[in-house]
Amino acid sequence: MRPRLPAHAYANGILAGDRLLLSQAITLVESRRADDQEIARQVLNAVLPRTGQSVRIGITGVPGVGKSTFIEAFGTYLTQLGHRLAVLTIDPTSQRSGGSLLGDKTRMDTLSMNPNAYIRPSPAGDSLGGVAQRTRESILLCEAAGFDIILVETVGVGQSETVVHGMVDFFLLLMLAGAGDELQGMKRGIMELADALVITKADGHNLATANRARMEYQNALHLFPPTGTGWFPPVLTCSALPDASGKPVGITEVWHMIREHQQLTTQNDYRNHRRQQQQLTWFRALVQQRLESQFYARPGIHDQLATLDEQVLAGTLLPAPAVEQLFGPAKTSR
């Protein structure tokens, strides 16, 4: 195991832009060891004044929509504009082995070699919502290291891809045209959270289909209630394949759209309000995690759970009474 450094060494290295120490600090944040978590807390407290100045963008979509390809083209464009980009990619974790391929970085081979880009893959673990359990802390560390745009790519496994909305300024939903009835895929949960939709792979024979899907989605979005932010989610098309000029199509328009959203939400103070609510959500999530960890740390709890598991499996005890044996009957307030 790599020797641990004092917290101030990690903090000073991060503030100086040292990517190796940044990666090591994120590893500490993701660790479940109590001593690692203590160092991570000290590092976060030390760098906190240098956080919060980036544009945080969440990117989600079903597998095969081309998230990594889009981020490769989009990230390259942003670095050409002079931005420093951090990409936090989340890979699915096997429910059998607990392992993760962490293959997103290999799919972004050009961006991974860009000196103005930093790519950090993390396993989703057992956390829901398409993000890793410590993604919020990783965002803060990347901001402290001087990255002014943070992209968070979710696992992209279905309608649970909503947790990322609670940690970013702009939530981008990538859609794929020509994969069936587009409007059949309009799920209110994730669609209502999206700040914009982008139809990917709008090129070649798929261009007409993508344009038709864009119109259908745009019309369908009018059926949703207004968000109260003054922003109506647009629908754009793009292609990571270069056009006659050698550049991807639609990438510039996506960035201009995000900038317009940031200007609007900064002026009407919604961006600040959104981040305040995200802090509250983060706090409550940590409370829930602490309660769960303290519950499983109770003496004899694992033996008690094993006994109840056997009774539930055998059908001699229903789940609800089993829970009451663990906690006692629920108390009703008068």
Side-chain angles (χ1 to χ4, degrees):
M1 186 177 65
R2 185 190 302 273
R4 300 302 188 238
L5 301 176
H8 67 83
Y10 292 110
N12 293 338
I14 290 170
L15 296 176
D18 189 315
R19 297 184 180 212
L20 178 59
L21 289 178
L22 170 61
S23 296
Q24 292 177 7
I26 293 177
T27 299
L28 292 176
V29 162
E30 294 175 343
S31 172
R32 297 189 178 186
R33 289 170 52 106
D35 52 348
D36 287 347
Q37 283 294 300
E38 177 57 33
I39 298 175
R41 280 192 289 270
Q42 295 176 23
V43 173
L44 284 166
N45 288 334
V47 304
L48 190 60
R50 293 275 292 273
T51 65
Q53 302 304 312
S54 75
V55 178
R56 305 169 182 173
I57 304 170
I59 299 177
T60 191
V62 298
V65 76
K67 292 190 296 293
S68 297
T69 304
F70 172 83
I71 292 174
E72 173 100 312
F74 187 50
T76 299
Y77 171 74
L78 292 175
T79 58
Q80 290 172 350
L81 294 179
H83 294 286
R84 298 190 67 223
L85 174 74
V87 183
L88 303 176
T89 70
I90 317 299
D91 272 15
T93 299
S94 170
Q95 296 301 310
R96 293 186 176 182
S97 66
S100 180
L101 292 177
L102 302 179
D104 275 313
K105 191 168 185 177
T106 63
R107 292 194 293 270
M108 305 177 197
D109 52 348
T110 301
L111 194 60
S112 64
M113 298 176 64
N114 191 317
N116 289 318
Y118 169 80
I119 302 177
R120 169 71 185 205
S122 297
D126 54 4
S127 62
L128 299 177
V131 294
Q133 191 173 28
R134 299 295 181 179
T135 298
R136 292 181 178 89
E137 290 91 334
S138 299
I139 289 175
L140 295 178
L141 292 176
C142 288
E143 289 177 339
F147 295 100
D148 62 320
I149 298 179
I150 313 293
L151 301 184
V152 181
E153 179 199 359
T154 73
V155 171
V157 293
Q159 292 304 310
S160 67
E161 306 295 286
T162 54
V163 175
V164 68
H165 180 267
M167 59 183 71
V168 297
D169 304 315
F170 192 94
F171 188 38
L172 183 62
L173 176 59
L174 303 183
M175 308 292 285
L176 189 63
D181 186 354
E182 278 75 24
L183 295 184
Q184 188 67 25
M186 296 284 285
K187 305 298 184 182
R188 292 186 68 93
I190 195 168
M191 296 293 297
E192 287 183 330
L193 294 177
D195 294 304
L197 278 65
V198 172
I199 311 296
T200 62
K201 304 181 182 180
D203 49 59
H205 298 296
N206 200 41
L207 181 58
T209 305
N211 287 329
R212 184 170 61 252
R214 181 181 67 83
M215 294 300 298
E216 292 175 346
Y217 278 123
Q218 193 74 76
N219 291 334
L221 284 174
H222 285 283
L223 302 176
F224 289 175
T227 60
T229 65
W231 175 262
F232 185 82
V235 183
L236 282 69
T237 60
C238 79
S239 171
L241 295 180
D243 59 9
S245 64
K247 297 180 179 179
V249 179
I251 296 297
T252 300
E253 288 74 14
V254 171
W255 176 237
H256 287 170
M257 171 193 63
I258 294 175
R259 288 188 60 191
E260 182 181 349
H261 175 272
Q262 292 301 288
Q263 291 171 359
L264 173 65
T265 54
T266 299
Q267 291 172 358
N268 62 20
D269 202 39
Y270 177 74
R271 183 175 183 269
N272 181 55
H273 172 73
R274 183 167 174 168
R275 287 203 173 184
Q276 289 176 336
Q277 292 301 309
Q278 290 172 353
Q279 289 289 97
L280 186 59
T281 301
W282 185 9
F283 164 69
R284 290 174 176 172
L286 290 177
V287 170
Q288 186 172 347
Q289 291 175 17
R290 178 62 65 87
L291 289 173
E292 183 177 348
S293 64
Q294 288 183 347
F295 170 77
Y296 286 109
R298 289 167 51 186
I301 190 65
H302 292 286
D303 292 338
Q304 191 176 1
L305 281 171
T307 301
L308 292 173
D309 284 345
E310 293 178 358
Q311 294 176 357
V312 170
L313 285 172
T316 59
L317 182 65
L318 290 174
V323 171
E324 287 192 359
Q325 289 192 30
L326 286 173
F327 295 95
K331 297 181 179 180
T332 57
S333 58
R334 295 182 179 179

